[in-house]
Every structure is written in structure tokens, then in C-alpha cells.
Amino acid sequence: MGEAAAVVAASRDGFFGLGECKGQVVIDGEQVPLVLTPGSEEVSGHDHKALVAALVANREWVEEKVVANSGVLLRGFGVRDAVEFDAIVDALGWPDIRYVGPAPRTHVHGRIWTANEGPLEEFIYYHHEMVLIKEFPGKVILFCEVPPPEGGETPFVPSFRVTERALQEFPDMVEELDAKGLRYTFTALSKDDTKSMRGRGWEDAFATTDKAVAEQRARALGMDVEWLPEEGGVRTILGPRQLTRVFPGRKGRRMWFNTVVGMHGKELSSATFADGSEIPADFVRRCGEIIEEESIQFRWEKGDVLILDNLATLHGRRPSLAPRRVLVATCKVDLA
């Protein structure tokens, strides 16, 4: 049975059909992302409640497809706003997880938040969501409410492909980094700065203005902190962390589960060996090139809902013209 026939057979009453999007690729026989569209004109005429009911009825199948294809794009179902998006997130049945990280975000409705509100002209580098935190999302769900007139794509990268290629070119360095571990630092001010894509202040991130409480919450997340004299800032220290990870149910693939390229040698962040020694700059540069070469690009359309397997994909944001409004929900992982 081909993938299109399998999609129709698996979804009850032919609700889902198989579509395509520009930039889609085939990896190990699977379309990435898998594009699900209305299976008939009758389906396309329904409101979001029909999609919610179909997702509830097909939860296990959708979960299987997200894991098998690393990402599923729901396109053409006419999802209109944060309220409808929130109902779709609930229908999928994955528990919520609170975002912890440097990106400035605003709560919109229910489980829904704005995606990174940093300046649209900046490129948000590829990352696994909350990769440095002990408890990270299993799924990241994105909704395009207002597609940008130009740019603004949310490219994503099959993480295991980066590891495969890095091992081909730098086998000793990859194994040494995995054996010794990584250490990261990040500096944040006390208040939010929406002029920066990493401008979330520590008071917002830790939901307190009390430094003692912030320290306690940081430790619970696996961080140490150093308070800085200037502007009430803080330096967070994380490590040791692995370079790669293997997660259940994903064909034994070794994921590039780190943010070395995104944090190495930056003004407010660093990535080093766990003992503080430097990671060679040429290794970091080449890994950045590999990540870009493996990236999958697609253009947002109004109403798109993209479900990413956060254990298997890095994602980012291309520079964009305004307006652009993409909303996000993050869901807990089950590694059992």
C-alpha cells in the first residue's frame, strides 16, 4: 500500500488526504514533512470542529506519523485563530509543558503563546526547543495565523542527518565531545527586551523577582547561576550536556541534540567542552554549514498547523517582512 492509500485507509471516513508542499523531501522512504489535507471537498467545507473530531479519533495514528515522518503539516483545514488552534492542540492529547528559555513570548489563549517575538529581520538559529533544560518538549506545534509577504519560513532539520555527516567528517571530535560533555553559558538581563530574539529577562523566565526563588527554580531545571553587577543580570551555566542523543522509537538514530553552533562564541552565550576548554572553531563552522545544507524549507500558508517531533528536528526562523504571526504550543515528552 502506498503512502497516499495508507493515509486514506488510516483516517476514518477518508477525512485526511495526502498533499505536498514545496521543499518537502523523502528520507528513508518517508515524506518530510508529511502533508495532510482535506480528503474531499466535503471535508474542506467543514469548520475546525470537524478537524478536532478527526484528530481525537486518530490520535495514535497521528502520533505514529509525527514520529515516523519527523513532522506533519495540516494544510487546508481553515484554522482561523488562537482559539481554534488551542482546540486542535487539546485534541491531540499531549500534556502541556511550560516554555523555559530566552525567547520573548506573550500568552495568547489557553495553551497558546506567540512564537519568538524578536525582530523579524533577524534569523533565529536552528535548535531543538528547550534542548538545554532537563525536561524538554516532545512536540512543538506551530500555527500560521498571518503568513508573511516575504521570508519568515520556519525551516527545520532532520537532526540525525547532522550527526551522520559530522561523524563522516569529524569522527574523533564528535566522540570526544560526547564523552567529555558540553558546558553552556547564557547571560540575561532582569527585564524583557523585545528588541532581541534572546531578550527574555530572568524575572519572566523564572516567574519571580526574588533572586533566591530564581536560583531554586534554576537548579530544578539543571542550571547554576551567577548574579552580575550590571543591570541586575544573571549568567546561567548548564552542563555537562551530551552532544548527541538516541531516543526510543526513532530507529536508533543519533540526534544532534545540542546548541553548539547557536551558542558558540556569541556575545551573550558560549559553548565549550565541559571542562571549559574551547571547541575548535572550524568544527563549529562546518557543522553550521551541514545544518543549513540539511534544512527543509517551506512557505507558510494561512491556517497551516505544523507538528514537529522535537526529539528529531531542529527548527528556526528566516528573516521576514511584516506582518507575520505564528503561534506555538509545546507538549510534554514520553520517553517510556
Side-chain angles (χ1 to χ4, degrees):
M1 182 183 295
E3 186 149 34
V7 166
V8 173
S11 64
R12 301 178 184 184
D13 301 322
F15 188 88
F16 293 111
L18 186 67
E20 297 179 349
C21 69
K22 187 175 181 180
Q24 186 182 46
V25 300
V26 176
I27 299 176
D28 294 343
E30 302 287 356
Q31 293 182 352
V32 184
L34 180 70
V35 182
L36 299 181
T37 60
S40 67
E41 290 186 10
E42 181 182 2
V43 170
S44 64
H46 289 305
D47 62 16
H48 79 286
K49 293 179 182 178
L51 175 58
V52 166
L55 291 172
V56 170
N58 292 280
R59 278 181 179 173
E60 291 186 6
W61 177 76
V62 173
E63 166 84 23
E64 290 171 1
K65 289 301 178 184
V66 172
V67 172
N69 298 73
S70 298
V72 170
L73 176 63
L74 303 174
R75 172 165 283 180
F77 293 98
V79 184
R80 295 179 299 179
D81 55 29
V83 175
E84 295 185 359
F85 177 42
D86 188 56
I88 289 165
V89 172
D90 281 344
L92 291 165
W94 300 313
D96 189 35
I97 184 171
R98 183 178 183 273
Y99 171 73
V100 177
R105 294 181 172 182
T106 300
H107 180 247
V108 180
H109 176 84
R111 295 172 56 176
I112 309 307
W113 294 71
T114 57
N116 192 319
E117 295 179 344
L120 287 177
E121 64 270 18
E122 294 187 24
F123 175 48
I124 297 174
Y125 196 71
Y126 302 100
H127 58 284
H128 290 271
E129 200 68 38
M130 293 164 56
V131 65
L132 303 182
I133 308 301
K134 285 184 176 180
E135 187 177 15
F136 40 81
K139 308 291 188 300
V140 174
I141 311 176
L142 298 148
F143 163 61
C144 182
E145 187 173 23
V146 180
E150 183 178 328
E153 296 89 351
T154 298
F156 61 96
V157 181
S159 192
F160 81 99
R161 288 288 300 138
V162 183
T163 307
E164 284 184 345
R165 292 185 57 185
L167 279 167
Q168 291 170 0
E169 298 188 30
F170 305 95
D172 294 341
M173 179 57 61
V174 170
E175 300 299 356
E176 183 180 3
L177 281 165
D178 246 348
K180 293 182 177 179
L182 297 161
R183 178 181 186 267
Y184 300 95
T185 68
F186 182 79
T187 300
L189 300 178
S190 60
K191 305 296 183 183
D192 289 353
D193 176 11
T194 56
K195 295 180 181 179
S196 169
M197 65 181 181
R198 290 182 171 177
R200 192 182 189 196
W202 65 262
E203 293 179 6
D204 183 18
F206 296 123
T208 183
T209 59
D210 187 318
K211 290 184 177 181
V213 174
E215 288 182 17
Q216 183 181 28
R217 292 176 179 172
R219 286 193 296 270
L221 293 167
M223 305 178 189
D224 292 321
V225 299
E226 293 179 354
W227 297 103
L228 305 176
E230 59 272 15
E231 299 187 53
V234 65
R235 177 182 294 113
T236 56
I237 304 152
L238 305 97
R241 295 288 191 272
Q242 293 174 258
L243 183 76
T244 68
R245 294 202 44 183
V246 177
F247 295 105
R250 288 155 180 84
K251 302 180 180 179
R253 290 168 169 172
R254 195 168 167 186
M255 305 300 181
W256 187 256
F257 208 70
N258 67 78
T259 184
V260 166
V261 177
M263 292 182 70
H264 180 269
K266 303 299 190 294
E267 181 181 359
L268 297 177
S269 66
S270 70
T272 65
F273 279 96
D275 63 6
S277 56
E278 287 296 322
I279 301 170
D282 61 340
F283 168 78
V284 177
R285 177 191 56 76
R286 179 57 187 144
C287 288
E289 293 173 350
I290 291 171
I291 290 170
E292 186 59 54
E293 290 164 7
E294 292 294 331
S295 66
I296 295 168
Q297 320 284 330
F298 79 100
R299 291 280 299 168
W300 281 116
E301 294 184 7
K302 183 176 177 58
D304 280 351
V305 175
L306 176 65
I307 310 168
L308 291 176
D309 181 358
N310 189 50
L311 308 184
T313 57
L314 308 103
H315 68 278
R317 187 196 72 191
R318 292 287 184 202
S320 173
L321 293 181
R324 178 189 190 271
R325 184 171 170 85
V326 173
L327 307 180
V328 64
T330 46
C331 307
K332 285 186 179 180
V333 63
D334 181 5
L335 295 179

